[in-house]
Amino acid sequence: MASEADGGGTESAAAAAKARNGRAERLEQSNPMGGDHQPKDHAWQVGRTEPVSKSQMKRLMKEKQWEDQKELRKQKRREKKLKRKLERQTRSEEGCEESCRKRFKRDVTPSSLRVALDCSFDGLMVMKDVKKLHKQIQRCYAENRKAAHPVQMYLTSHSGQLKKNMDENDKGWVNWKGITVTSEHFSEAMKKEDLVYLSSDSPNVLNDLDATKAYIIGGLVDHNHHKGLTHNKALEFGIAHAQLPLGNYVKMDSRKVLTVNHVFEIILAYLEKKDWQEAFFTVLPQRKGAVPACLPVSTAENQPGADSDTCESVQNGRATPGALAQENKQPSKLKCEEQGTKTSEEMDGEM
C-alpha cells in the first residue's frame, strides 16, 4: 500500500511540473525576446500588452521627457541660485545693505487723535456676528499699524463672547502694540467731555477731526436690526455725537451704514489726505456703488446765509448750527435740479 501511495505522489509531481513548463512556453511565445532582451529605448513600455491610445502615448512620452530632463532642471536651478547670490554680493558692495524684497517703511507721524471701539454690544450678537466683529477689529489694528498717522487705538468693554473668541482663535492679540485693551466702559476709560460717538443716525455732521477728542465707533454687527442704537447710547450717557460727512461727498446705492473697519480706515485716510471725498473713495468698496456727489456741499463758514434750522454740524468736536448736510434733503441733488430748471427756463425764453 505504501508503494502505491508513493507512486501516486510521483505522478502528481510530474503532472505539476509539466503544467509549469507549459505556462513558461506560452510566455516565451508571447514575448520571444525575453524580459532581459527588451530594448533600452522601450524600457518604459515593459509590461504593456494591451494597445496604447494616442493620448496615452503622448502622456508616456511626456513622462519620459520629464525624466530625461531631470538633470538639466537641476543645473538650471543651481545656475539661478548662483546668479542671485552674485547679485546680492554686488548690491552689498555698492552699499545697498537691504534686500530689494524688503519693504521700506514710509515716514510715520503718530497722531494724538484717540479712536475707541465700543464692544459693549456683546449680548446683542450671535457667535457668527461676534466672529465678524473680531475680523473687523483685526483689520483696524493692521491698518493702524501701517498708517502714515496712526491713532491712539482703544478697545473698551472687552469681555464676554468677543474675548472668549479672541482667546481661542487669536491668542496673539495679547501682544498687540499701540492699542489699549480694557474691560472698562469707554465712559470710565476716558473723560466724558472728550467723547464724540460716531453714529449714522446723528443729525450732527462731522466737518473736521479734533485731535483733542476721542471718537467712539460702535462695535456692533447686527445687519441693521438695531436701528439708532449707538445714537441712543450717546444720548443716554450725555456725550457728543456726530456722523461722518458721507452725504456731502458721496452718493451710494446701498444704505449709508458702514462697518467698523470702514469707519476706522476713513478716519486714517482723512488724517493722511486731509480731504473727505478722497478718504471716502479710498476706503469704500465697489459693492457700495459709491459715486461722487454732483456738487460738494459747502460748510456754514463758506455760506453764511444758509438756513440754520435745517440741521446742526460738529466743528472741532462741538455741535454748531448752520451746516448744509441733512441726509433726507440731499443738498447736492437739489442743487443739480435747480441748475437744470434754470437752464430749461433760459432755453424756453430764447425760443
Side-chain angles (χ1 to χ4, degrees):
M1 295 292 291
S3 61
E4 292 178 359
D6 293 340
T10 303
E11 293 177 357
S12 299
K18 186 176 181 180
R20 285 196 298 271
N21 293 333
R23 284 198 298 271
E25 291 177 357
R26 288 195 296 272
L27 286 173
E28 289 178 358
Q29 291 175 359
S30 62
N31 187 12
M33 297 187 67
D36 297 336
H37 299 283
Q38 287 288 342
K40 291 185 179 180
D41 295 340
H42 300 280
W44 51 278
Q45 288 184 335
V46 172
R48 291 188 170 274
T49 58
E50 71 280 0
V52 180
S53 63
K54 289 185 179 180
S55 59
Q56 289 175 331
M57 182 66 71
K58 288 181 180 179
R59 181 173 59 81
L60 292 172
M61 291 294 292
K62 287 181 179 180
E63 290 177 359
K64 184 176 182 298
Q65 186 178 10
W66 177 265
E67 290 296 329
D68 293 342
Q69 297 177 353
K70 191 173 183 180
E71 290 299 326
L72 180 61
R73 290 196 302 274
K74 285 184 179 180
Q75 180 64 24
K76 287 184 178 180
R77 285 196 297 268
R78 285 194 292 265
E79 292 175 356
K80 194 173 182 180
K81 186 176 180 181
L82 181 61
K83 183 179 179 181
R84 288 198 300 266
K85 184 178 179 180
L86 293 175
E87 289 177 353
R88 287 195 298 268
Q89 292 177 353
T90 304
R91 288 196 300 268
S92 178
E93 292 174 358
E94 292 176 355
C96 182
E97 298 179 355
E98 294 182 351
S99 174
C100 293
R101 293 175 298 176
K102 189 174 182 180
R103 291 180 59 186
F104 291 94
K105 289 187 176 180
R106 55 183 175 176
D107 295 335
V108 175
T109 306
S111 172
S112 59
L113 191 76
R114 290 166 290 171
V115 179
L117 306 184
D118 177 19
C119 303
S120 61
F121 305 101
D122 192 82
L124 299 177
M125 294 183 291
V126 297
M127 181 53 68
K128 180 180 178 181
D129 293 334
V130 170
K131 291 181 178 180
K132 290 182 179 179
L133 176 61
H134 176 202
K135 291 185 179 297
Q136 292 178 14
I137 294 172
Q138 287 178 318
R139 180 66 181 267
C140 292
Y141 173 75
E143 291 297 325
N144 195 47
R145 289 284 292 170
K146 63 183 181 182
H149 303 287
V151 299
Q152 299 179 24
M153 186 176 176
Y154 288 78
L155 198 63
T156 62
S157 301
H158 184 247
S159 59
Q161 297 182 93
L162 178 62
K163 185 177 184 302
K164 182 180 178 182
N165 183 71
M166 292 178 68
D167 289 337
E168 293 176 354
N169 302 315
D170 186 19
K171 296 180 181 179
W173 73 265
V174 295
N175 299 321
W176 284 359
K177 299 177 182 178
I179 182 174
T180 301
V181 182
T182 177
S183 59
E184 293 182 337
H185 194 265
F186 62 82
S187 59
E188 300 172 353
M190 288 167 280
K191 293 181 181 179
K192 183 178 178 181
E193 57 270 20
D194 294 343
L195 301 177
V196 179
Y197 213 117
L198 298 178
S199 172
S200 61
D201 299 300
S202 173
N204 307 329
V205 179
L206 196 67
N207 292 325
D208 199 2
L209 296 175
D210 187 350
T212 64
K213 297 296 180 181
Y215 294 93
I216 314 297
I217 302 175
L220 176 64
V221 179
D222 67 334
H223 308 286
N224 211 24
H225 294 158
H226 303 280
K227 296 181 179 179
L229 187 62
T230 53
H231 182 215
N232 292 334
K233 172 164 278 196
L235 296 176
E236 178 186 350
F237 284 92
I239 62 176
H241 50 84
Q243 61 168 296
L244 297 178
L246 189 64
N248 295 6
Y249 301 94
V250 180
K251 292 181 181 179
M252 293 195 304
D253 296 335
S254 59
R255 58 196 177 99
K256 292 173 60 177
V257 179
L258 305 177
T259 62
V260 174
N261 59 291
H262 284 162
V263 177
F264 190 90
E265 291 174 44
I266 288 170
I267 292 176
L268 293 177
Y270 178 75
L271 289 175
E272 180 180 358
K273 304 176 185 300
K274 298 301 181 182
D275 184 275
W276 280 118
Q277 184 164 343
E278 191 174 353
F280 287 133
F281 284 97
T282 301
V283 175
L284 291 177
Q286 292 183 352
R287 67 175 183 273
K288 289 286 187 180
V291 295
C294 180
L295 289 174
V297 180
S298 303
T299 59
E301 296 178 356
N302 297 331
Q303 294 186 3
D307 186 5
S308 61
D309 295 333
T310 55
C311 61
E312 293 179 344
S313 67
V314 173
Q315 295 179 352
N316 298 328
R318 298 181 179 85
T320 58
L324 301 176
Q326 190 172 7
E327 295 180 26
N328 297 331
K329 291 191 176 182
Q330 295 182 351
S332 58
K333 184 175 181 181
L334 292 175
K335 285 190 175 184
C336 293
E337 293 176 352
E338 291 175 2
Q339 288 182 352
T341 304
K342 291 180 181 179
T343 305
S344 61
E345 290 176 356
E346 292 175 356
M347 292 178 65
D348 293 337
E350 292 177 358
M351 293 176 65

